[in-house]
Amino acid sequence: MNPPKTDARRHHDPEVRGFASDNYSGVHPEVLAALTLANGGHQVAYGEDAYTENLQQVIRSHFGPTAEAFPVFNGTGANVVALQAVTDRWGAVICAESAHINVDECGAPERVGGLKLLTVPAPDGKLTPELIDRQAYGWDDEHRAMPQVVSIAQATELGTVYTPEEIRALCEHAHAHGMKVHLDGSRLANAAATLNVPMRTLTNAAGVDILSLGGTKNGAMFGEAVVVLNQDAVSHMKHLRKLSMQLASKMRFVSVQLEALFARDLWLRNAGHANEMAQRLAEGVRAVHGVEVLYPVQVNAVFARLPHDVSERLQKRFRFYFWDEAAGDVRWMCGFDTTEDDVDAFLAALKEEMAR
Ligand SMILES: Cc1ncc(COP(=O)(O)O)c(C=O)c1O
């Protein structure tokens, strides 16, 4: 039952939505219902519960019979645990300069994971074999951290997507150099929805060894999973998750959320809807003179360049972030709960502010 609108315990207006991030949204009602279902009674702690067991079957239905899911609290944790699992103490990770692991994780891969990140500029957020080669050398040189992993994000931080062929080429290239491949799939659902392919096509079928599978941005309250796709590439996942402080004692409540998203098609419905809203937004923005859409809009993000003062006025009406403030670049993101009316109201406000 929904609490009455006047409930004094509610401290926000549930009708207000912005375009700041897909993690500003609440929890999808089906996920909330699943959490309630998992409540009550006692279940074994630390992942020996019936929900986590069932989650393994769900994950295997997507990624094949040898895939193994390790639920964790958040995306940064998933990345740090996954990367440690495929590196030695002297290992380094090749990634795009714009990668979340490089710019948005407070140095956790370096400080918590003890990893060196070897970055390359990637104008559209995507690595290529040629870009990887800028850092893929010196395996025998004890003076250099050893490149052992290539980490890519699908979708990228710039809202672009790799085709399955592009991922396969990257994996073949990395493997030919003895490196493994990690995929930050915080928005893997959105990429799969855009490309209309199973998640498997973008991951293990293309050669990815280990995956950070997103849940939060797709409608969970919290929770992601490290999914081991290539068992031979990985060691000591259980221990790494615990020492990285990502082992939930009441794990059933992380697992049941992921089960709710991935057991049927909720993940795809949510991602597909968020992507559609971004398309609607981009189409509207392109019709506004003086506003430039910066990258191909392939998932649920629209990056745009517009006059700084317009953005500042617009931010008073709708929440969103500057991406590169000096350049006047902003990021507008849609979520599973963004409505057509939200998009249309935002576009109307944008037009008004541009005309002022
Ligand atoms: C591509 C990408 N990876 C990882 C994360 C990390 O997620 P969290 O904020 O849960 O640590 C994010 C969150 O914004 C992200 O966009």
Side-chain angles (χ1 to χ4, degrees), residues 21-23 73-79 98-101 104-105 152-158 182 184-187 212 216-217 222-224 246 323 331 333:
S21 179
D22 36 7
N23 56 26
F73 289 113
N74 55 41
T76 300
N79 287 340
S98 52
H100 199 271
I101 54 172
D104 267 321
E105 298 188 355
I152 59 172
Q154 173 79 322
T156 72
E157 292 73 7
L158 300 179
H182 163 253
D184 178 346
S186 180
R187 298 188 184 88
S212 303
T216 312
K217 293 174 171 62
F222 62 91
E224 325 269 304
Q246 288 288 323
W323 190 253
R331 184 188 75 168
M333 295 220 67

Side-chain angles (χ1 to χ4, degrees), residues 4 75 105 122 306 311 352:
E105 298 188 355
L306 65 162
S311 290
E352 266 172 41

Side-chain angles (χ1 to χ4, degrees), residues 329-349:
D329 298 353
V330 297
R331 184 188 75 168
W332 296 320
M333 295 220 67
C334 299
F336 74 86
D337 60 346
T338 304
T339 65
E340 292 186 353
D341 286 349
D342 293 336
V343 172
D344 295 347
F346 181 76
L347 287 169

